[in-house]
């Protein structure tokens, strides 16, 4: 059974920082991608950042977070991280960790991911 458990969310003021973690277990294979997605009330789930585990560790970010968010992983600990700096109120959302074994031309598309965590809430006030 694949399990992904997020932690590290919270309520912070604009300009602050958070570090989200995703602990993974139960895999019988190495995911091709792991990533972070977010969903705000009334909006569709969007890809935030992904890391291509099966492709040499390359990363991809949605335009709105470039320069502020950094995705990384610790393979020894089976943990994925998202360092979030310079938070803005529009970053407020539930943040989800996800994984997939399938290559895709559009890795930020949440529809391509098979396994999901329960999410961790990030709330940014101004």
């Amino acid at each position: 059974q694949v399990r992904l458990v997020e932690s590290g969310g919270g309520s912070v003021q604009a300009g602050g920082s958070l570090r989200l973690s995703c602990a993974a277990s139960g895999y019988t294979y190495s995911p091709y991608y792991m990533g972070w997605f977010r969903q705000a009330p009334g909006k569709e789930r969007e890809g935030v950042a992904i890391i291509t585990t099966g492709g040499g560790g390359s990363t991809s970010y949605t335009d709105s977070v470039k320069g502020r968010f950094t995705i990384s992983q610790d393979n020894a600990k089976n943990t994925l991280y998202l360092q979030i700096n310079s938070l803005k109120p529009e970053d407020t959302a539930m943040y989800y960790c996800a994984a997939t074994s399938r290559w895709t031309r559009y890795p930020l598309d949440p529809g391509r991911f098979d396994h999901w965590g329960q999410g961790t809430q990030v709330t940014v006030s101004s």
Side-chain angles (χ1 to χ4, degrees), residues 7-49:
S7 62
S11 181
V12 299
Q13 293 188 15
S17 298
L18 286 172
R19 188 192 190 200
L20 308 185
S21 298
C22 172
S25 62
Y27 281 106
T28 58
Y29 60 92
S30 297
Y32 195 87
Y33 302 107
M34 293 193 72
W36 292 94
F37 299 77
R38 66 186 181 186
Q39 187 167 21
K43 296 185 178 181
E44 295 183 350
R45 188 169 298 186
E46 65 171 341
V48 175

Side-chain angles (χ1 to χ4, degrees), residues 20-124:
L20 308 185
S21 298
C22 172
S25 62
Y27 281 106
T28 58
Y29 60 92
S30 297
Y32 195 87
Y33 302 107
M34 293 193 72
W36 292 94
F37 299 77
R38 66 186 181 186
Q39 187 167 21
K43 296 185 178 181
E44 295 183 350
R45 188 169 298 186
E46 65 171 341
V48 175
I50 63 95
I51 185 164
T52 309
T53 304
S58 62
T59 59
S60 183
Y61 300 88
T62 192
D63 287 344
S64 64
V65 309
K66 289 180 179 177
R68 300 188 297 120
F69 291 20
T70 303
I71 188 171
S72 62
Q73 62 182 355
D74 185 334
N75 291 328
K77 297 181 179 180
N78 294 316
T79 302
L80 183 74
Y81 302 99
L82 185 68
Q83 179 66 44
I84 309 175
N85 298 324
S86 302
L87 278 160
K88 303 176 180 179
E90 51 263 43
D91 294 319
T92 295
M94 184 72 75
Y95 283 70
Y96 298 92
C97 174
T100 185
S101 63
R102 298 177 295 172
W103 180 92
T104 176
R105 184 183 297 273
Y106 307 106
L108 291 171
D109 179 1
R112 295 293 186 176
F113 283 71
D114 303 306
H115 305 289
W116 296 84
Q118 294 299 306
T120 185
Q121 179 68 39
V122 172
T123 302
V124 185

